[in-house]
Amino acid sequence: MVLDQITQYIQENFIYLHPGYTTLNTIVFGIILGMVILLIIRMFRWIDKDPKDLFISIIPFIFFGSSARALVDNGIYPLTYLLVTPGIYLLTGISAILTLLGSVLIERKTDRDYRYIIFMVGVVMCLPNLYYIQHLDLGVVFQVMGSWALLSVPFILLGFKWSLLKDKFNLSVLLAHLLDASSTFIAVDYYGYGEQHVLPNALTQMADSAIVMFPLKIAVILPSLYVIDTYVEDKTIRNMLKLAIFILGLAPGLRNFLSLAMGT
């Protein structure tokens, strides 16, 4: 009896059998993400590269994963485990890592900058997705980008005075998460979408508005960046943590934005 109950719980909630986010999924995703980050840190030390150098180069890969997920949301790509969480993250992450390793090898043999190779491979991967993105609702684009700009400008200006945000990497991390907050706010409050993540969903329901995402993001990201800069002395670890946070903001932000703009 107990075994049957455990089996039923796993079938209803476990990652690979239940796409989406539950409390169990969130915990398991966090554990897996931590383990992956540790492995990637070792990889960067092995290839003798700084994760910070990649935050522009991997944007096409982030767009690839986010746009593929948006195409699934809008019924253009099929709903398969490979194209939803965690499959899409595995597909995108493995592609990016293999491209990174291959580009470093090419750089050592030809002296070509590995970052440009990574960027161009990512752009080529995005071409099929761009082909199927038939139109974007300009009203949605204006709403999301307008709210994002409104919240971003004060922090961009603050960056001229505050050392934490003078670092363009730090500023980019914050702006990526503000994009996620903006796309969530517009989707939930104006178009009837629902928040999928456990904690943001609970806070959104308590406030009866996804506008709570803005103070939530600011309250989490800025202290996190401060702690990383202040207490993490190892450059590889410090910049890998920031790169991971950047991806965790930009990927869902782009997915939400594209899903909403394509679906309205």
Side-chain angles (χ1 to χ4, degrees):
M1 179 65 70
V2 174
L3 181 59
D4 290 340
Q5 291 176 342
I6 294 174
T7 302
Q8 181 181 358
Y9 182 79
I10 291 175
Q11 288 176 340
E12 293 176 350
N13 294 279
F14 196 64
I15 298 177
Y16 301 107
L17 301 178
H18 184 79
Y21 294 94
T22 65
T23 301
L24 177 60
N25 281 4
T26 302
I27 293 172
V28 176
F29 286 157
I31 294 172
I32 293 175
L33 177 62
M35 295 171 62
V36 169
I37 289 175
L38 290 175
L39 291 174
I40 293 177
I41 287 172
R42 293 179 65 87
M43 181 193 69
F44 273 109
R45 285 178 172 157
W46 177 58
I47 64 177
D48 194 26
K49 297 295 183 182
D50 186 350
K52 182 178 181 179
D53 295 336
L54 286 181
F55 93 96
I56 296 294
S57 302
I58 65 167
I59 288 178
F61 283 90
I62 299 173
F63 182 86
F64 165 78
S66 299
S67 57
R69 189 66 182 87
L71 289 165
V72 172
D73 292 338
N74 284 277
I76 299 173
Y77 283 176
L79 179 62
T80 67
Y81 284 105
L82 188 63
L83 296 179
V84 298
T85 304
I88 189 62
Y89 288 110
L90 292 174
L91 175 63
T92 305
I94 291 172
S95 299
I97 290 172
L98 292 177
T99 302
L100 168 61
L101 295 175
S103 64
V104 170
L105 181 62
I106 293 173
E107 181 186 60
R108 291 174 178 174
K109 291 182 177 295
T110 65
D111 292 329
R112 294 184 179 180
D113 193 323
Y114 77 107
R115 294 171 298 178
Y116 294 111
I117 299 173
I118 294 171
F119 186 87
M120 292 309 300
V121 171
V123 168
V124 171
M125 288 177 60
C126 289
L127 292 179
N129 293 358
L130 290 171
Y131 174 80
Y132 286 108
I133 297 176
Q134 299 182 8
H135 77 278
L136 296 178
D137 187 295
L138 294 181
V140 171
V141 173
F142 177 80
Q143 286 177 296
V144 174
M145 300 309 293
S147 61
W148 175 69
L150 187 64
L151 268 294
S152 297
V153 167
F155 291 101
I156 293 172
L157 296 176
L158 188 60
F160 290 104
K161 296 292 184 180
W162 190 15
S163 59
L164 182 70
L165 294 181
K166 279 185 178 180
D167 185 326
K168 296 299 187 293
F169 195 13
N170 286 349
L171 181 60
S172 298
V173 171
L174 177 61
L175 296 186
H177 279 269
L178 289 179
L179 175 62
D180 184 26
S182 298
S183 61
T184 300
F185 167 60
I186 297 299
V188 172
D189 281 36
Y190 292 94
Y191 293 94
Y193 284 69
E195 170 59 54
Q196 292 184 331
H197 298 85
V198 177
L199 177 59
N201 179 53
L203 294 175
T204 296
Q205 291 185 359
M206 288 175 58
D208 196 27
S209 171
I211 199 170
V212 72
M213 291 297 296
F214 293 109
L216 176 63
K217 290 287 190 178
I218 294 168
V220 171
I221 299 304
L222 288 180
S224 297
L225 292 173
Y226 175 80
V227 168
I228 291 171
D229 277 348
T230 304
Y231 298 104
V232 180
E233 297 181 357
D234 186 285
K235 185 177 72 172
T236 301
I237 297 176
R238 182 171 65 246
N239 289 335
M240 185 60 228
L241 290 174
K242 291 182 185 180
L243 184 63
I245 298 172
F246 173 74
I247 294 171
L248 290 174
L250 186 59
L254 282 175
R255 178 262 178 110
N256 295 341
F257 169 61
L258 292 171
S259 293
L260 182 61
M262 292 168 58
T264 54

